[in-house]
Structures are given as structure tokens and as C-alpha cells.
Amino acid sequence: MAELTQDYVNGLGLKSYGAKAATTDKNELGQNDFLNLMITQLKNQDPTDPVKNEDFVAQLAQFSTVSGIEKLSSAFGELSKTMSQNQTLQAASLVGNKVLIPAQSAELDEGQGVSGALNLKSSVGSVNVEVLGPGGDLVRTINLGSLSSGLQEFSWDGLLDDGTAAPAGAYQFKVTAQTDGATESLETLLDGEVQSVTMDKNGGGLMLSVLGIGSVSFADVYRIG
């Protein structure tokens, strides 16, 4: 019976059992434990209704499948960890570079301007960029005219409507488009300099600290440089 069991094990690609078998964790069902259970099952089976060979092979195959899935899961875990480490190293090179990210506001120094863009799915007419000051008042309006689909750039030179430098503070940017008499709000993308790169503690991936804007997900970056 032992030789027959060993033949089934070898045929299914399982490691040999016995004196040379590897020691398993006490909380896990190892190959030896599994085979001992099967041998006990054979010893205590009903002589009038013995376990069929097909059932015996099926149980061995199931054990082999579960073992293979556990090893595959472990391998994917190691691969995921390696990829995450590589991504962190690559993202670290972003420090000091500019990224284009979804944002509606930025903390600016006196007279400091900002550049941004709009990611348009289709052509729009009469696009306006409204710059709101720290108090929420409109301090500058930039007319971009009609724009076609795609990534369209815009910039603010940091000056108010009267030509003086805008004071330091947090500025909001609202972009609207007039198309066929209807007003549509558009998503605003702003350029910002990356100060640092960290890993989200909640497993959300890499987070970038962008000067004047704050913390944003690396996955939300539209453009680098």
C-alpha cells in the first residue's frame, strides 16, 4: 500500500514523503499529515464499500491543486512587493520636477503665476479661466477662445486685472466654456513642483507632495515635466 501511495504522489508531481519530507508548520496541514489521514481513511473504511481508486486519486489531485495555488499566491505577493519597490525608486526621481495634476487651487507667493491645462473630450467654445483671490473675489479673467479636443494649455502671469502683482495667498481657478448657449464647467489641471514622494499607509499607492497644491496620488498625474 505504501508503494502504491508513493506512485500516486510521484505521478501527481508531489514531493516524496517519509523520513526525508520537509518539516511543516504546526498550524498547517502538510503532505505527511494529508497522507496519514488518507491511510487512516483506508484502514477504517467499510470493507463492503471500499474507497474507489478514482476517489483516492481525486483527493490527491485536490491537495496538489491547493498547494499549487498557495505557492502561486506567495509568488505573486513577492512580485507585487518588488514592483512596488521599483515604482517607489522611479517616483523618487520626480522630486524637483513639475507634474500636471487635477487641482482647482494653489498657494502662491506674491506675483507668482501658474500654468495649467484642460483635457477636452470634444471642441468647446469661448473658454474662460477665472482666477479668484484669497477672499474669493474675482481678480483676473483669461479668455482662451474656442478650443479643440485634447490637452489645451493655459497660464496666468500672476498679475491682477489692473496690472499689479497679486499678493501671496491661495488662489482658485474656475474654467467654464460657452457652447451653443450653455455654460459648462471644465476640470482644471495645474502644474506643480514635486517636493517629496511617500507611500500611502492605507495601501493607496504612491503619494506626491506638490508645492502649493498639497498631497496627490501618483495615479492622478496627467503629465510629467
Side-chain angles (χ1 to χ4, degrees), residues 76-106:
F76 271 114
E78 290 297 325
L79 178 61
S80 176
K81 181 179 180 180
T82 300
M83 292 180 64
S84 177
Q85 291 173 343
N86 289 338
Q87 186 183 42
T88 302
L89 290 175
Q90 293 174 355
S93 64
L94 292 176
V95 176
N97 292 317
K98 281 191 174 183
V99 291
L100 183 65
I101 54 177
Q104 289 186 321
S105 63

Side-chain angles (χ1 to χ4, degrees), residues 18-38:
K20 296 182 180 180
T23 303
T24 59
D25 190 279
K26 292 182 179 180
N27 295 323
E28 298 179 356
L29 179 62
Q31 183 176 295
N32 281 345
D33 299 322
F34 178 75
L35 293 176
N36 286 332
L37 286 173
M38 294 191 68

Side-chain angles (χ1 to χ4, degrees), residues 107-187:
E107 187 79 24
L108 304 175
D109 294 331
E110 182 176 355
Q112 180 185 358
V114 67
S115 60
L118 311 171
N119 189 23
L120 304 177
K121 296 181 180 179
S122 59
S123 299
V124 293
S126 187
V127 179
N128 287 322
V129 179
E130 296 181 340
V131 183
L132 306 179
D137 297 327
L138 180 64
V139 298
R140 184 75 180 271
T141 300
I142 305 171
N143 184 273
L144 302 179
S146 299
L147 298 176
S148 58
S149 61
L151 197 63
Q152 302 293 343
E153 311 281 344
F154 72 86
S155 63
W156 175 49
D157 55 11
L159 300 179
L160 305 178
D161 278 334
D162 60 8
T164 60
Y171 289 82
Q172 293 185 343
F173 300 85
K174 293 185 177 181
V175 184
T176 57
Q178 292 284 340
T179 304
D180 297 330
T183 301
E184 176 186 7
S185 296
L186 305 177
E187 182 183 31

